[in-house]
Amino acid sequence: MSNVVVIGAGYVGLVTAAFLAELGHCVTCVERHEGRLETLKSGGIPIHEPGLQPIVEKAVADGLLAFSDDMDAVYGADVVYLAVGTPPREDGSTDLSQIDDAAAQVAARIAPTGVVVIKSTVPVGTGDRVQAVLEAANPNEPTAAVVSNPEFLREGTAVYDARFPDRVVIGANEPWAGDIVEALYAGLRTRVVRTTRRSSELIKYTANAFLATRISFANTIAQLCDTKGAVVDDVMLGAGLDKRVGTSFFVPGLGFGGSCFPKDVASLIHEGRESGIGMDLLESVVSVNDQLPRAFVRRMEEELGSLRGRTIGVLGLAFKGDTDDVRESRALLLIEALVARGATVRAYDPEATKNARRELDGIDVTFCRSALSAATDADAVVVATDWQDFARIDPHRLASRMRGDIVFDGRNLLDADALASAGLDYVGVGRPTVRTDATFRRVA
Ligand code: UGA
């Protein structure tokens, strides 16, 4: 059992802290945001992450997890994780001020035998920068070592991903420090990739940029499917079953959002440009992604004509299902585009309404308490986030609430035939549009 301090109780820090406690380590999670700390200390969880609450509760009850705002917890720690925010700047570069700040405070307190693990996603070379801070604070003495150990958790399935990772990546320039970090994960049955610190930092960006590329690729193929009369689900399955291609992260729709893919791809483009490398491939990934919400609105206009004065029920606000996170959410971009065209938007999300309300401040949106309420009197309903709940909505009840009879599926989540049985037309992405008799009556 090791004494671990995790700095930062955001998505990454909180899941890391809870999971290390579950592995039997004694963890203090240091958080300086007062409101978030209060929530955690009073037994709450400041984020929506399925399955996290019971792990935190048990760890706290077992005396293996505590929350604090006191950096002095670093005294006596074997390992200190940095899991602070690394937000993007306008030019795509990464703001490392929270890393620098935490590093300075850790440097003043950590033992020379300690290890500082960088969990935050940071540009290549940041480990060297933190190592230099440690060395500058303790000149002419042995110093703690910095190790890169990127996280690959997905919001919404973070607990599963932490327990059953595809791999653990440990980038250490000093083998002893890498050994200490590897020992922390001894309870996991997974492949451990040991490498240099810089390689490890780049692994994280490589994984996210490749997944983002797959999504933009799937969206490009979906556009071709629309024009050529092919079915994107079958095309991606047929191609993906080739083991070299793979089937996951191939679902087209409104594109990728969230706090990771857009930021990490932008950062990699920025780093590449700084190094004089042509980053055209990733620039295209971003431009394909950026066009999707507007293209989807144009598709709606093809069906509905002008959106001015139309009521649109939008299902989903979060950047993906099973989270309350709306950062870079395509759903919000879609809503902004609809409102800009004069549509009246009624929106619903199972968890993200509070965050969306803040983000859409000043934009005229009615936030509803249920999917059926958002659909009430709507000329059309749009699925903007892949919440599985939306796939379970009874199409007959949906149809009975709506004024119009068309559903736009921006996540290819719904069953077109089931909707058709309730007289609803279906427009997906790269899928054949399904029109019902009701439509023909409506058009006539
Ligand atoms: C992503 C990675 O999947 C994690 O491995 C990584 O640890 C994390 O970023 C991070 O860097 O912290 P996350 O942002 O939580 O995780 O969400 P994803 O499940 O990857 O989805 C990202 C976006 O892509 C969402 O907007 C989602 O709707 C979209 N997406 C995903 C698609 O449009 N199509 C797909 O097939 C898959």
Side-chain angles (χ1 to χ4, degrees):
M1 179 181 101
S2 296
N3 276 325
V4 178
V5 168
V6 177
I7 298 174
Y11 280 99
V12 174
L14 188 54
V15 177
T16 302
F19 177 62
L20 287 168
E22 190 178 65
L23 286 177
H25 304 294
C26 188
V27 183
T28 305
C29 189
V30 178
E31 171 60 53
R32 66 180 179 188
H33 186 284
E34 234 174 78
R36 184 173 289 178
L37 184 63
E38 273 320 301
T39 305
L40 289 163
K41 280 186 154 175
S42 59
I45 296 282
I47 52 173
H48 173 82
E49 186 59 49
L52 185 57
Q53 175 103 34
I55 299 178
V56 171
E57 268 170 24
K58 181 168 186 312
V60 170
D62 291 348
L64 290 176
L65 178 60
F67 299 99
S68 164
D69 60 357
D70 190 355
M71 274 292 203
D72 284 353
V74 170
Y75 291 115
D78 303 310
V79 182
V80 178
Y81 278 76
L82 303 188
V84 294
T86 51
R89 292 208 201 88
E90 273 295 299
D91 64 355
S93 64
T94 306
D95 177 355
L96 289 173
S97 55
Q98 293 181 54
I99 288 278
D100 289 341
D101 191 37
Q105 299 202 52
V106 171
R109 295 170 172 85
I110 194 163
T113 52
V115 176
V116 176
V117 178
I118 303 187
K119 255 296 173 203
S120 310
T121 300
V122 290
V124 178
T126 305
D128 297 357
R129 173 172 165 146
V130 172
Q131 186 73 57
V133 172
L134 296 180
E135 282 162 18
N138 306 283
N140 310 319
E141 284 175 30
T143 38
V146 177
V147 170
S148 163
N149 172 221
E151 61 84 23
F152 301 102
L153 310 172
R154 290 162 299 174
E155 289 182 21
T157 53
V159 170
Y160 176 89
D161 293 342
R163 284 180 177 155
F164 306 103
D166 290 343
R167 76 301 204 190
V168 168
V169 174
I170 297 172
N173 293 356
E174 297 81 4
W176 66 266
D179 293 346
I180 287 177
V181 178
E182 188 169 349
L184 291 178
Y185 300 113
L188 290 178
R189 255 195 258 144
T190 190
R191 175 130 184 220
V192 176
V193 178
R194 291 282 297 259
T195 181
T196 63
R197 206 159 53 203
R198 282 177 173 249
S199 306
S200 168
E201 288 167 338
L202 190 53
I203 285 170
K204 168 70 189 194
Y205 284 100
T206 303
N208 274 4
F210 183 69
L211 292 170
T213 303
R214 286 180 68 93
I215 297 169
S216 280
F217 180 72
N219 277 303
T220 302
I221 298 296
Q223 283 162 15
L224 270 171
C225 289
D226 275 334
T227 56
K228 300 286 182 194
V231 183
V232 75
D233 308 62
D234 300 344
V235 172
M236 299 329 267
L237 179 67
L241 285 174
D242 183 325
K243 287 191 186 62
R244 294 168 300 173
V245 178
T247 51
S248 64
F249 274 67
F250 252 179
V251 181
L254 294 172
F256 59 81
S259 63
C260 305
F261 286 178
K263 169 177 89 116
D264 293 352
V265 175
S267 174
L268 206 51
I269 291 173
H270 181 267
E271 296 291 306
R273 282 203 201 119
E274 295 261 288
S275 312
I277 296 169
M279 299 304 280
D280 314 27
L281 176 65
L282 291 179
E283 279 165 13
S284 299
V285 167
V286 173
S287 86
V288 167
N289 196 55
D290 284 351
Q291 288 159 24
L292 296 170
R294 280 192 305 275
F296 198 72
V297 171
R298 279 198 299 276
R299 181 74 188 87
M300 292 175 70
E301 286 172 327
E302 275 167 31
E303 293 291 327
L304 297 169
S306 167
L307 296 176
R308 185 155 300 280
R310 298 287 200 154
T311 299
I312 311 291
V314 177
L315 305 187
L317 296 161
F319 83 93
K320 66 174 194 178
D322 269 328
T323 179
D324 60 356
D325 195 339
V326 297
R327 285 176 286 178
E328 299 282 332
S329 170
R330 305 291 103 180
L332 301 195
L333 294 180
L334 180 81
I335 289 175
E336 282 171 9
L338 292 172
V339 171
R341 282 164 175 74
T344 299
V345 171
R346 299 175 58 80
Y348 166 71
D349 189 284
E351 295 290 340
T353 304
K354 195 166 136 233
N355 289 336
R357 209 187 273 276
R358 201 179 48 233
E359 208 65 30
L360 291 173
D361 190 30
I363 295 175
D364 193 12
V365 177
T366 304
F367 294 98
C368 303
R369 288 173 174 275
S370 70
L372 288 178
S373 162
T376 303
D377 292 336
D379 295 298
V381 162
V382 188
V383 175
T385 306
D386 58 342
W387 280 98
Q388 290 306 314
D389 296 8
F390 300 153
R392 291 190 281 267
I393 296 171
D394 177 352
H396 294 275
R397 292 184 69 197
L398 186 67
S400 71
R401 292 291 191 103
M402 292 173 61
R403 180 163 56 211
D405 50 20
I406 186 161
V407 174
F408 294 91
D409 187 357
R411 292 294 174 186
N412 280 2
L413 183 72
L414 305 183
D415 178 350
D417 292 338
L419 292 171
S421 74
L424 292 171
D425 289 2
Y426 175 88
V427 177
V429 178
R431 286 176 163 184
T433 295
V434 177
R435 299 182 195 282
T436 66
D437 289 346
T439 310
F440 298 132
R441 277 200 299 278
R442 179 169 57 92
V443 171

